[in-house]
Amino acid sequence: MTVDVLSPPAQAERQARTAVAVLFFTNGALFANLLPRFPQIKADLGIGNAAYGLAVAAFPTGAIVAGLAAGALIRRYGSGRVAVAGTVLTGIGVLAAGLSGSVVLFGTALLLAGAMDAITDVAQNAHGLRVQRRYGRSIINSFHAIWSIGAVTGGSMAAGAIALDLSLGQHLLISAVVFGIAACVALRFCLTGPDTEPDAEAAKEETKEETKEETKEETNGETNGGAARETGAESRELAPRRDEKLRKTRLRTGYVLAALVLIAASGALVEDAGSSWAALYLSDSLHASGTLAASGYIALVGAQFVGRMIGDRLVDRFGQRAVARSGGVIAAVGMGLALAVPTATGTILGFATAGFGVATLVPAAMHEADELPGLRPGSGLTIVSWLMRLGFLLSPPIVGLVADSTSLRVGLLVVPLAGLMVMVLAGVLQPRRR
C-alpha cells in the first residue's frame, strides 16, 4: 500500500527515519562483532568444519522457529518496541555465544540470538515501511545500506579487538552494552500508534465502497426488476470466468512469492558465505593473518553498502529486474574468478563483488512481496523474511560437509551459483517504469 505525500515529511517522520536507521545499524553491528571471532571459537572448541557448520546453522534455525511470531508481537506491542527488545536480547545471545565453553552451549546461544534477530528484522522492516509510506517515496534501500554500515562497523570493531588482544567476553560485552543503549534511545523517536492503522483505514474505506455498490445494485434491482433478472443471468454465466481469473491470479501470486523467497534466500546465502566462511577460508586455506582474514566479510558488507546507497537511483533508472540480473552476473563472475584463482587479495575482492551484486536483492524481494495482490497486508513481507532464512539455515551445513569431503574452496561455489539463480528468477521483479 502506498500513500502520496505532497508536502515534505514532518519532524516526527524525519526523527522516525533516523530512529529506524539506528535500529538497522545496531542490528548489523551486533552479530558482525562475533563473526571474525569464529575461527578463535572453532579452535577453542576443537571442532571440524562439519560440526562447526551445524553449530553455526543454529542461528538461522532459531530465526526460522521464531520468525512467524514477529507478526503477533508487532500487532500487540508495536514494531518499534519489538525491534528494540529484540536488539537487546540479540546482544545477550551473541555475548553468550562468545563465552560458550562447549559446542552445545555455543549452538544454543546462537539459536537464541537467531530467534531474536529474526524478530528484530521483521519489526524494523515493518517500521521502516511504515515510515516509507509517510514519506511517499522509496527509502527502504537506505535502511539496508545503514545495516551494511553497521555490519562493517561491527566487523571492524572485532578486527580491532583481535589486534588489541581483547578477550571474547570483554569485546562482546562492550558491543552488547553500546548497541543496546543506542537501540533504547532510538525507541523514543519511533512512530507512535498502531502499525496497522493505515491498512485498517483502507479496509474500512473498501468496506464502505462495497456497501455502497451493493446498495446501488439492490436499488437498481427493485426499480428495474426485469433488467435485474437479466443481469443476474448474465452474472451467473460470467461467474466461471471470474473464478478462473481468480484462480490464475492466486497461482501467479504463489509463483511470484516463491520466486521472491528464492531471490531473497540467494542474497542471504551470499551474506552467510561471507559471515560464516570468509574468515576461515582466508585464514585456513589461504594462510592470511587474523586481521586480514576479517577483511573478507568487511569487504562484502562494505561493497553491499555501496550497492544499497546507489540502489534506489539504479532501480528508478533501469528497473528492479535489470538491476537484480546485473547483480547476479557480477556476483557469479566476481566470486567465480576469485575461486578459480585463489589468492588472499583476489578472494577479498571476490567477496566484495558478491556483496555489491546482491546488495538490492533482499530489499527488493521484501518490497515486491509487500505489494503482492491477494495477500493480507504484511503477509508477503513476513513470509519472505521468514523463508529467506532458509539460505542462512542450509548454507553452513552444506558448505561444511562439502568442505570436509573436498575443500572449502569447492564449498564456496554456492556464491556464484546463487548469482546464477538470481539471473534466472529476476523476471518476477518489476521492470523499468516508462
Side-chain angles (χ1 to χ4, degrees), residues 7-353:
S7 58
Q11 183 180 6
E13 279 74 40
R14 294 196 300 270
Q15 290 178 338
R17 182 176 183 178
T18 301
V20 174
V22 170
L23 293 176
F24 271 82
F25 180 87
T26 56
N27 183 249
L30 275 172
F31 194 55
N33 265 277
L34 179 65
L35 300 176
R37 309 302 296 255
F38 274 173
Q40 178 185 345
I41 294 173
K42 180 174 178 287
D44 291 343
L45 295 177
I47 55 178
N49 287 323
Y52 166 78
L54 289 172
V56 171
F59 187 89
T61 300
I64 290 175
V65 169
L68 290 181
L73 291 172
I74 289 170
R75 285 190 292 271
R76 180 164 185 176
Y77 299 107
S79 55
R81 291 192 184 96
V82 171
V84 171
T87 298
V88 173
L89 292 173
T90 299
I92 294 173
V94 167
L95 174 61
L99 296 176
S100 300
S102 70
V103 67
V104 174
L105 292 177
F106 178 58
T108 302
L110 287 181
L111 188 78
L112 169 65
M116 295 303 103
D117 178 77
I119 292 172
T120 302
D121 186 42
V122 175
Q124 68 188 12
N125 273 286
H127 209 78
L129 288 171
R130 185 181 173 195
V131 174
Q132 178 173 273
R133 287 193 289 270
R134 295 282 190 95
Y135 266 68
R137 58 185 172 85
S138 176
I139 58 174
I140 192 66
N141 273 307
S142 67
F143 291 136
H144 287 262
I146 296 297
W147 183 94
S148 298
I149 295 178
V152 171
T153 302
S156 301
M157 286 176 62
I162 294 171
L164 293 173
D165 201 26
L166 288 180
S167 68
L168 277 164
Q170 291 172 326
H171 164 212
L172 296 177
L173 178 61
I174 292 171
S175 171
V177 170
V178 169
F179 297 121
I181 291 174
C184 290
V185 172
L187 177 60
R188 183 184 174 194
F189 301 99
C190 288
L191 294 175
T192 58
D195 289 80
T196 56
E197 183 178 0
D199 296 324
E201 291 298 320
K204 194 181 296 182
E205 291 298 321
E206 185 177 346
T207 302
K208 288 180 181 178
E209 291 297 324
E210 290 177 354
T211 303
K212 288 180 182 178
E213 289 296 326
E214 289 174 0
T215 304
K216 185 177 180 181
E217 289 176 4
E218 289 175 2
T219 303
N220 290 338
E222 292 173 0
T223 305
N224 307 299
R229 285 192 294 272
E230 185 178 344
T231 302
E234 292 176 358
S235 179
R236 286 192 296 273
E237 291 177 2
L238 293 175
R241 296 181 187 177
R242 288 198 300 268
D243 292 342
E244 179 65 17
K245 185 177 180 180
L246 181 60
R247 187 183 69 83
K248 289 181 178 180
T249 300
R250 288 174 177 172
L251 286 174
R252 169 67 180 169
T253 299
Y255 164 73
V256 172
L257 187 61
L260 292 175
V261 168
L262 290 175
I263 289 172
S266 297
L269 188 150
V270 173
E271 289 182 22
D272 180 76
S275 64
S276 298
W277 300 102
L280 283 174
Y281 179 62
L282 285 162
S283 61
D284 293 352
S285 301
L286 302 180
H287 310 293
S289 65
T291 303
L292 183 61
S295 301
Y297 177 68
I298 294 172
L300 185 146
V301 292
Q304 192 178 58
F305 161 72
V306 174
R308 286 172 172 172
M309 284 298 293
I310 64 176
D312 287 322
R313 281 174 287 175
L314 290 175
V315 169
D316 287 341
R317 183 169 183 179
F318 301 106
Q320 192 64 258
R321 184 182 300 171
V323 172
R325 278 185 176 150
S326 301
V329 172
I330 292 171
V333 173
M335 196 62 192
L337 288 174
L339 294 173
V341 186
T343 63
T345 302
T347 298
I348 292 171
L349 290 175
F351 277 112
T353 57

Side-chain angles (χ1 to χ4, degrees), residues 344-414:
T345 302
T347 298
I348 292 171
L349 290 175
F351 277 112
T353 57
F356 182 82
V358 304
T360 64
L361 295 185
V362 173
M366 287 183 170
H367 178 263
E368 292 278 347
D370 203 42
E371 299 289 328
L372 277 178
L375 296 177
R376 292 176 58 191
S379 296
L381 171 64
T382 301
I383 291 170
V384 168
S385 179
W386 182 58
L387 289 179
M388 79 172 185
R389 293 180 179 272
L390 287 173
F392 289 113
L393 174 63
L394 298 177
S395 177
I398 290 175
V399 174
L401 290 171
V402 172
D404 277 349
S405 60
T406 55
S407 68
L408 185 52
R409 179 183 171 193
V410 175
L412 287 174
L413 285 173
V414 296

